[in-house]
Amino acid sequence: NAGVTQTPKFQVLKTGQSMTLQCAQDMNHEYMSWYRQDPGMGLRLIHYSVGAGITDQGEVPNGYNVSRSTTEDFPLRLLSAAPSQTSVYFCASSPPGLGAGGYTFGSGTRLTVV
Amino acid sequence: AQSVAQPEDQVNVAEGNPLTVKCTYSVSGNPYLFWYVQYPNRGLQFLLKYITGDNLVKGSYGFEAEFNKSQTSFHLKKPSALVSDSALYFCAVREPYSGAGSYQLTFGKGTKLSVIP
């Protein structure tokens, strides 16, 4: 099925470890983004990309890196995990063009840092 | 900067009664407005959007939303609530497309809807 695929679904990390959350979409969407969801905080934008080779920071980028080498993939890297990064992470994509902006979300990655 | 407020953390409604989930926004220019729903342990699903035109927008699962420019509101409504509507609802706003290639949505903090049998 077409859509946004996130892996893994669950992950436990020790403080200081690094890891990459994977995100892939097969809809040829130009725009991709990463959000974190925390109770009472809603969704906060971490990083986003408007196309291959172009990325930019969102509201809460510290401790995270991204790259966009292809249209399909937008991985999120945690450089040195901290307990404050315990959260549910969502990847989203959107088609281009005027009127666009209805995101398609992945099913999320639940990350626990101990 | 664009922003969204959902003034109610939780809304409780009896099954069969009408429901309203409130949303107000702040944005430069004419807004693009969205509602998403999140069921437990799932990603967000698109419900409906307002770009331009009729102020009453109809979406999935019998939901609709009314755009009110003077009150800067975009409340989500349904005439008759179902238990299966119980979920977390997010309102989101985007500034008008500027051609810059940016499609950032700003989300509210979410409202938990509980429909009581």
Side-chain angles (χ1 to χ4, degrees), chain A residues 15 36-38 44 60 62-64 78 80-89 111-114:
Chain A
T15 297
R36 59 177 289 174
Q37 183 181 21
D38 303 292
R44 292 182 291 169
V60 289
N62 292 341
Y64 307 95
L78 279 69
S80 178
S84 61
Q85 294 178 303
T86 293
S87 187
V88 181
Y89 292 84
L111 176 68
T112 301
V113 183
V114 298

Side-chain angles (χ1 to χ4, degrees), chain A residues 25-75:
Chain A
Q25 52 93 6
D26 57 2
M27 299 170 285
N28 200 32
H29 282 177
E30 180 179 86
Y31 182 83
M32 297 185 74
S33 56
W34 277 100
Y35 287 86
R36 59 177 289 174
Q37 183 181 21
D38 303 292
M41 305 286 287
L43 276 77
R44 292 182 291 169
L45 182 64
I46 303 172
H47 285 284
Y48 66 96
S49 168
V50 299
I54 306 170
T55 63
D56 207 346
Q57 297 180 352
E59 180 185 356
V60 289
N62 292 341
Y64 307 95
N65 272 356
V66 292
S67 60
R68 185 96 179 267
S69 57
T70 66
T71 300
E72 295 77 19
D73 300 301
F74 190 45

